Amino acid sequence: MRTATAYRGSIFYFKDSATFENIPTSKKENDHSQYVYLEDGVLIIEAGKVSAVGPYDELKEKIKNMKQVNYGDKLITPGFIDTHQHSTQSSIVAAYGEHLLEWLDDYVFPGESIYDNPESAKADINFFLDHLLRNGTTTAVSYGPLFYEAADLFFEELNKRNMRFITGNILMDKDSPDYLRLTTQDNYDISKRLIEKWNNKNRLSYCLSPRFALSCTEEIMELCGALKKEHPDLYIQTHLDENVAEVEAVKKEYPWSKNYLDVYNRFGLVTERTVLGHCIHLTDAELEKMKETKAIVSWCPISNNFLGSGLFNVERVLKYTHNITLGTDWGGGNSLSMFAVMDDAYKVAMLQNYKLPSMKRWYMATFGAAKSLQLDSKIGNFTPGKEADFIVIDPKASPFLKYRSEKVNDIFELLFILMTLGDEKVISATYILGEPAYQAV
Ligand SMILES: [Zn+2]
């Protein structure tokens, strides 16, 4: 027998019709048409999906005989979507003093080597996933381990946890240390096996994941293009225009290319299901191509600041595409909290004299990302029928947050202080398909 559970609390989500453009930027606009904010609301979950949502007063009769969980004035909202992260880099987060290319050699490659051992891989992966859920992220586009056993194990653990996730084995077949170098054929074979086993299995999607142009031969990129043709629903993720020295090196390595994006485009890897991390140093021609292909940007401000990569110019990119999502780039990014990402996105925009309103950033980290990933019919808001991945946020989690949140006047201000002052301690609970996956003690 199906049993429904009613969660009572303050509720916020974007409506299906919301877009980056039509979301109001402040209460002054008095426009409630693109979001729902209920100070005393009820979210009813049945068989892992949203069955109803509305004001408590309207639903109190209906829920009388249901199991009820009362979160008081805590905020119930869809889980975050992180569109760029490295599941294998927890052990090197917060390492000192290098820019991208040296960082990879000195920290990332040695750190990822533990993944050749399934035992240590399993422990590391589960630590990572627990930490992700503790931060309120329910879906991610993530780089998985290079080796088959560890990558398979990652899918296995995600499947056990029922998470909606987009990932794949990271691909690299050149300019890497011996202990991480697989042949082109090995890389390809691993991808093929994992696609067959995991793509579209339950809530999992396989993602072709060439690390970046400097780690990949033309041959492996060509094979990725062939796999994408064979399986058009595959996602693709890679890095683009992160660091000036990297952009220069790509130019030298691929003298035939018009620009960095052109390298990937040559092999059919720039599509509307391609997530491109960073995109800081884009040329106009690259932006035109992003617009034409509807490729997805993953802006990773905490990583960009930490590695000194540069300032993403959101105002400029928005002139070409609204497919801008947010990523932690866990590894280079020193936090798995989307609050930290939204906070740094604001600061990076401010450094360039551009204001990025709270609700627009929240949209980029939730429903906007679901839309860009073509997952909005499944996740990202509370329209009945959607999969019930949601989080419970405590706006009074610390003495100062309590003090400050008691002074806010509307949802715009509340979201703003949460993303400016919040971190993992603000997350009271994370639910996956209506089941508790993390609960603060
Ligand atoms: Zn990255």
Side-chain angles (χ1 to χ4, degrees), residues 68-99:
Q68 295 187 26
V69 179
N70 190 347
Y71 279 114
D73 55 6
K74 289 180 183 167
L75 184 68
I76 302 171
T77 193
F80 293 122
I81 300 173
D82 177 352
T83 60
H84 185 130
Q85 51 164 249
H86 297 266
S87 63
T88 54
Q89 291 181 11
S90 304
S91 69
I92 57 113
V93 164
Y96 170 74
E98 294 297 351
H99 289 99

Short mmCIF file of all heavy atoms in Angstrom, two decimals, residues 68-99:
data_model
loop_
_atom_site.label_atom_id
_atom_site.label_comp_id
_atom_site.label_asym_id
_atom_site.label_seq_id
_atom_site.Cartn_x
_atom_site.Cartn_y
_atom_site.Cartn_z
N GLN A 68 2.82 12.84 9.20
CA GLN A 68 3.22 14.25 9.04
C GLN A 68 4.58 14.52 9.66
O GLN A 68 4.92 13.98 10.71
CB GLN A 68 2.19 15.17 9.71
CG GLN A 68 0.84 15.11 9.04
CD GLN A 68 -0.14 16.13 9.59
OE1 GLN A 68 0.26 17.16 10.11
NE2 GLN A 68 -1.42 15.82 9.48
N VAL A 69 5.35 15.34 8.99
CA VAL A 69 6.64 15.80 9.54
C VAL A 69 6.57 17.32 9.53
O VAL A 69 6.36 17.94 8.49
CB VAL A 69 7.82 15.33 8.66
CG1 VAL A 69 9.14 15.84 9.25
CG2 VAL A 69 7.84 13.81 8.54
N ASN A 70 6.71 17.92 10.72
CA ASN A 70 6.58 19.37 10.81
C ASN A 70 7.95 20.03 10.97
O ASN A 70 8.61 19.86 11.98
CB ASN A 70 5.67 19.73 11.98
CG ASN A 70 5.31 21.21 11.97
OD1 ASN A 70 5.92 22.00 11.25
ND2 ASN A 70 4.31 21.58 12.76
N TYR A 71 8.35 20.76 9.96
CA TYR A 71 9.64 21.45 10.01
C TYR A 71 9.50 22.91 10.48
O TYR A 71 10.45 23.69 10.37
CB TYR A 71 10.34 21.38 8.65
CG TYR A 71 11.06 20.06 8.43
CD1 TYR A 71 10.64 19.18 7.43
CD2 TYR A 71 12.14 19.70 9.21
CE1 TYR A 71 11.30 17.97 7.25
CE2 TYR A 71 12.81 18.50 9.04
CZ TYR A 71 12.38 17.63 8.05
OH TYR A 71 13.04 16.44 7.87
N GLY A 72 8.34 23.29 10.95
CA GLY A 72 8.16 24.64 11.52
C GLY A 72 8.48 25.72 10.50
O GLY A 72 7.98 25.70 9.37
N ASP A 73 9.37 26.64 10.88
CA ASP A 73 9.66 27.73 9.93
C ASP A 73 10.91 27.45 9.09
O ASP A 73 11.47 28.35 8.47
CB ASP A 73 9.76 29.08 10.65
CG ASP A 73 10.77 29.06 11.78
OD1 ASP A 73 11.46 28.02 11.94
OD2 ASP A 73 10.86 30.07 12.51
N LYS A 74 11.35 26.20 9.08
CA LYS A 74 12.46 25.87 8.18
C LYS A 74 11.97 25.87 6.71
O LYS A 74 10.78 25.71 6.46
CB LYS A 74 13.04 24.49 8.54
CG LYS A 74 13.81 24.54 9.86
CD LYS A 74 14.38 23.19 10.22
CE LYS A 74 15.07 23.28 11.58
NZ LYS A 74 15.39 21.99 12.14
N LEU A 75 12.93 26.04 5.80
CA LEU A 75 12.59 26.19 4.39
C LEU A 75 12.75 24.85 3.65
O LEU A 75 13.84 24.27 3.63
CB LEU A 75 13.52 27.24 3.77
CG LEU A 75 13.28 27.63 2.32
CD1 LEU A 75 11.95 28.38 2.17
CD2 LEU A 75 14.42 28.52 1.80
N ILE A 76 11.66 24.39 3.05
CA ILE A 76 11.69 23.15 2.25
C ILE A 76 11.80 23.56 0.78
O ILE A 76 10.96 24.33 0.28
CB ILE A 76 10.41 22.32 2.49
CG1 ILE A 76 10.27 21.98 3.99
CG2 ILE A 76 10.43 21.05 1.64
CD1 ILE A 76 8.92 21.35 4.35
N THR A 77 12.80 23.07 0.10
CA THR A 77 13.06 23.54 -1.26
C THR A 77 13.76 22.43 -2.06
O THR A 77 14.37 21.54 -1.46
CB THR A 77 13.90 24.87 -1.17
OG1 THR A 77 13.90 25.51 -2.43
CG2 THR A 77 15.31 24.63 -0.70
N PRO A 78 13.68 22.46 -3.39
CA PRO A 78 14.35 21.40 -4.16
C PRO A 78 15.86 21.36 -3.90
O PRO A 78 16.48 22.40 -3.66
CB PRO A 78 14.06 21.79 -5.62
CG PRO A 78 12.78 22.56 -5.53
CD PRO A 78 12.87 23.35 -4.25
N GLY A 79 16.45 20.18 -3.98
CA GLY A 79 17.89 20.02 -3.75
C GLY A 79 18.70 20.76 -4.81
O GLY A 79 18.22 21.05 -5.91
N PHE A 80 19.96 21.04 -4.47
CA PHE A 80 20.84 21.75 -5.41
C PHE A 80 21.36 20.83 -6.51
O PHE A 80 21.47 19.61 -6.32
CB PHE A 80 22.03 22.35 -4.66
CG PHE A 80 21.65 23.45 -3.71
CD1 PHE A 80 21.96 23.35 -2.35
CD2 PHE A 80 20.99 24.59 -4.16
CE1 PHE A 80 21.60 24.36 -1.47
CE2 PHE A 80 20.64 25.60 -3.29
CZ PHE A 80 20.95 25.49 -1.93
N ILE A 81 21.71 21.45 -7.63
CA ILE A 81 22.31 20.73 -8.76
C ILE A 81 23.68 21.36 -9.03
O ILE A 81 23.78 22.52 -9.37
CB ILE A 81 21.41 20.84 -10.01
CG1 ILE A 81 20.02 20.24 -9.70
CG2 ILE A 81 22.06 20.13 -11.20
CD1 ILE A 81 18.98 20.43 -10.80
N ASP A 82 24.71 20.55 -8.84
CA ASP A 82 26.10 21.00 -9.04
C ASP A 82 26.56 20.45 -10.39
O ASP A 82 26.63 19.24 -10.58
CB ASP A 82 26.94 20.42 -7.88
CG ASP A 82 28.42 20.75 -7.98
OD1 ASP A 82 28.87 21.30 -9.01
OD2 ASP A 82 29.15 20.42 -7.01
N THR A 83 26.88 21.34 -11.33
CA THR A 83 27.15 20.85 -12.69
C THR A 83 28.64 20.65 -13.01
O THR A 83 28.99 20.39 -14.17
CB THR A 83 26.53 21.77 -13.77
OG1 THR A 83 27.10 23.07 -13.63
CG2 THR A 83 25.03 21.83 -13.64
N HIS A 84 29.50 20.79 -12.01
CA HIS A 84 30.93 20.50 -12.28
C HIS A 84 31.63 20.17 -10.97
O HIS A 84 31.72 21.02 -10.08
CB HIS A 84 31.59 21.72 -12.95
CG HIS A 84 33.01 21.47 -13.36
ND1 HIS A 84 33.48 21.77 -14.61
CD2 HIS A 84 34.09 20.97 -12.70
CE1 HIS A 84 34.76 21.46 -14.71
NE2 HIS A 84 35.14 20.97 -13.55
N GLN A 85 32.10 18.94 -10.88
CA GLN A 85 32.78 18.51 -9.66
C GLN A 85 33.61 17.28 -9.98
O GLN A 85 33.33 16.55 -10.93
CB GLN A 85 31.77 18.18 -8.57
CG GLN A 85 30.68 17.24 -9.05
CD GLN A 85 29.90 16.59 -7.94
OE1 GLN A 85 30.02 15.40 -7.73
NE2 GLN A 85 29.10 17.34 -7.23
N HIS A 86 34.63 17.06 -9.19
CA HIS A 86 35.49 15.88 -9.37
C HIS A 86 35.32 14.98 -8.15
O HIS A 86 35.84 15.28 -7.07
CB HIS A 86 36.95 16.29 -9.53
CG HIS A 86 37.17 17.12 -10.77
ND1 HIS A 86 37.56 16.55 -11.97
CD2 HIS A 86 37.02 18.44 -11.00
CE1 HIS A 86 37.65 17.51 -12.88
NE2 HIS A 86 37.32 18.67 -12.33
N SER A 87 34.60 13.86 -8.35
CA SER A 87 34.30 12.98 -7.22
C SER A 87 35.58 12.37 -6.63
O SER A 87 35.59 11.89 -5.51
CB SER A 87 33.37 11.87 -7.68
OG SER A 87 34.01 11.08 -8.67
N THR A 88 36.66 12.40 -7.40
CA THR A 88 37.90 11.72 -6.99
C THR A 88 38.92 12.65 -6.35
O THR A 88 40.06 12.26 -6.13
CB THR A 88 38.57 11.12 -8.24
OG1 THR A 88 38.73 12.18 -9.19
CG2 THR A 88 37.73 10.03 -8.84
N GLN A 89 38.54 13.90 -6.10
CA GLN A 89 39.57 14.85 -5.66
C GLN A 89 39.41 15.34 -4.22
O GLN A 89 40.04 16.34 -3.82
CB GLN A 89 39.63 16.04 -6.63
CG GLN A 89 40.19 15.63 -7.99
CD GLN A 89 40.30 16.80 -8.98
OE1 GLN A 89 40.15 17.95 -8.61
NE2 GLN A 89 40.55 16.48 -10.23
N SER A 90 38.60 14.64 -3.42
CA SER A 90 38.40 15.10 -2.03
C SER A 90 39.74 15.22 -1.30
O SER A 90 39.93 16.15 -0.50
CB SER A 90 37.51 14.12 -1.28
OG SER A 90 36.28 13.96 -1.95
N SER A 91 40.66 14.31 -1.58
CA SER A 91 41.90 14.27 -0.79
C SER A 91 42.86 15.42 -1.11
O SER A 91 43.82 15.63 -0.38
CB SER A 91 42.62 12.94 -1.00
OG SER A 91 43.13 12.88 -2.33
N ILE A 92 42.59 16.17 -2.17
CA ILE A 92 43.52 17.27 -2.49
C ILE A 92 42.85 18.65 -2.37
O ILE A 92 43.45 19.67 -2.71
CB ILE A 92 44.17 17.11 -3.87
CG1 ILE A 92 43.12 17.00 -4.97
CG2 ILE A 92 45.07 15.89 -3.90
CD1 ILE A 92 43.11 18.15 -5.91
N VAL A 93 41.61 18.65 -1.90
CA VAL A 93 40.96 19.95 -1.68
C VAL A 93 41.77 20.74 -0.66
O VAL A 93 42.27 20.16 0.31
CB VAL A 93 39.51 19.73 -1.19
CG1 VAL A 93 38.91 20.99 -0.60
CG2 VAL A 93 38.65 19.24 -2.34
N ALA A 94 41.92 22.03 -0.90
CA ALA A 94 42.67 22.91 0.00
C ALA A 94 44.17 22.59 0.01
O ALA A 94 44.80 22.49 1.05
CB ALA A 94 42.10 22.86 1.42
N ALA A 95 44.73 22.41 -1.16
CA ALA A 95 46.19 22.27 -1.30
C ALA A 95 46.75 23.61 -1.78
O ALA A 95 46.13 24.30 -2.60
CB ALA A 95 46.53 21.16 -2.28
N TYR A 96 47.92 23.92 -1.31
CA TYR A 96 48.45 25.29 -1.42
C TYR A 96 49.11 25.64 -2.75
O TYR A 96 49.86 24.84 -3.31
CB TYR A 96 49.47 25.50 -0.29
CG TYR A 96 50.28 26.77 -0.41
CD1 TYR A 96 49.69 28.01 -0.13
CD2 TYR A 96 51.60 26.73 -0.83
CE1 TYR A 96 50.43 29.17 -0.24
CE2 TYR A 96 52.34 27.90 -0.94
CZ TYR A 96 51.75 29.11 -0.65
OH TYR A 96 52.47 30.26 -0.77
N GLY A 97 48.83 26.81 -3.24
CA GLY A 97 49.72 27.63 -4.01
C GLY A 97 50.02 27.39 -5.48
O GLY A 97 51.05 27.82 -5.92
N GLU A 98 49.16 26.74 -6.24
CA GLU A 98 49.50 26.57 -7.65
C GLU A 98 48.36 27.01 -8.56
O GLU A 98 47.20 27.02 -8.17
CB GLU A 98 49.82 25.10 -7.96
CG GLU A 98 51.06 24.55 -7.28
CD GLU A 98 52.35 25.24 -7.69
OE1 GLU A 98 52.34 26.06 -8.65
OE2 GLU A 98 53.39 24.99 -7.05
N HIS A 99 48.72 27.37 -9.80
CA HIS A 99 47.72 27.59 -10.84
C HIS A 99 47.43 26.26 -11.53
O HIS A 99 48.07 25.25 -11.25
CB HIS A 99 48.23 28.62 -11.84
CG HIS A 99 48.27 30.00 -11.28
ND1 HIS A 99 49.42 30.58 -10.81
CD2 HIS A 99 47.30 30.91 -11.10
CE1 HIS A 99 49.16 31.79 -10.36
NE2 HIS A 99 47.87 32.02 -10.52
#
